[in-house]
Amino acid sequence: MQELHDVPLAPLTTFRLGGPATRLVTATTDAEVIAAVREADDTGTPLLLIGGGSNLVIGDKGFDGTALHIATRGFSLDGTTLELAAGETWTDAVARTVAAGLAGVECLAGIPGSAGATPIQNVGAYGQEVSATITEVTAYDRRSRETVALSNPDCAFSYRHSRFKAEPERYVVLRVRFELEDAGGLSAPLRYAETARALGVEAGDRVPLTAARETVLKLRAGKGMVLDPEDHDTWSAGSFFTNPILTDEQFAAFRSRVAERLGDAVEPPAFPAGEGRVKTSAAWLIDKAGFTKGYGTGPARISTKHTLALTNRGEATTEDLLALAREVVGGVHEAFGVTLVNEPVTVGVSL
């Protein structure tokens, strides 16, 4: 277990932002992870967990406590059952399942971060969510001080949410188990219209696994959503805001605001989100509120490829990023009466 002191955390995040941690511990086994967590809990030391750093916004002052970098490794495939250590790189794991001919996570290709983060956020994209294939999460419970196994229902998954996100100080994910599908080299049925169009098929069709993965990677790259050290459009946390879910009454009020601003002929995006609820598009809201691709003049700007991504153009500080985020949130609320919620976790700062 490696231990360093007064170390900048920016290199451990995809934003490349964040000040130093008082202490940085890198754990490569579950036992090391648990030992580091127990030590912090026993001494009352603030603890920050870092996996792939793709969903973190760390303040410029850094973190006064122990930052625990989870760098465990483990990829186990038994038939259609996949088990990943929390520190496994998610994109690599997806590539390996596709190479093995197994379907279920192929449309989650290119998402940066670690496997252990996927159940926390219920990571999803292009019509797939990990909650559809996760069967069990092994975690260290800081309350009971023991390792526990949580079934899929125990995880309380919902849109970009889970029990782990609801109780961020309680669980430390150690391993994640998935049940995939052997469909003879074909993908799961495509659920996302953009992916189906790009492949020239209908929604609900299956395609070769490699074609599904490669198409998603191309779509993501076109939006700056595949990490590239040379491309500042990828110095981000991916989608910075979640898609708002509104009650029917809230959506009716929103539609009225859209008509007032854009005209009666304009219909905002609307997707079913359960009884009495409608999901709309954060990207659409941002764009129609006047924050178009490339918006901004400072070191933090909206991506030139995708309005949902806020980016570090190379010299930004966390405060630069937050100023832009607040401007977008305020502008969208003023235009449409909808409040955007940030998807990344903030450390030592807030919107």
Side-chain angles (χ1 to χ4, degrees), residues 5-12 17-21 24:
H5 295 269
D6 197 29
V7 181
L9 296 177
L12 295 179
L17 296 175
L24 172 64

Side-chain angles (χ1 to χ4, degrees), residues 35-54:
V37 173
R38 282 180 172 166
E39 180 189 18
D41 289 346
D42 289 344
T43 58
T45 303
L47 181 68
L48 171 63
L49 303 177
I50 302 177
S54 61

Side-chain angles (χ1 to χ4, degrees), residues 84-115:
L84 298 175
E88 278 290 328
T89 301
W90 176 251
T91 53
D92 294 345
V94 172
R96 292 175 72 176
T97 64
V98 169
L102 298 178
V105 295
E106 61 279 359
C107 290
L108 301 178
I111 294 177
S114 63

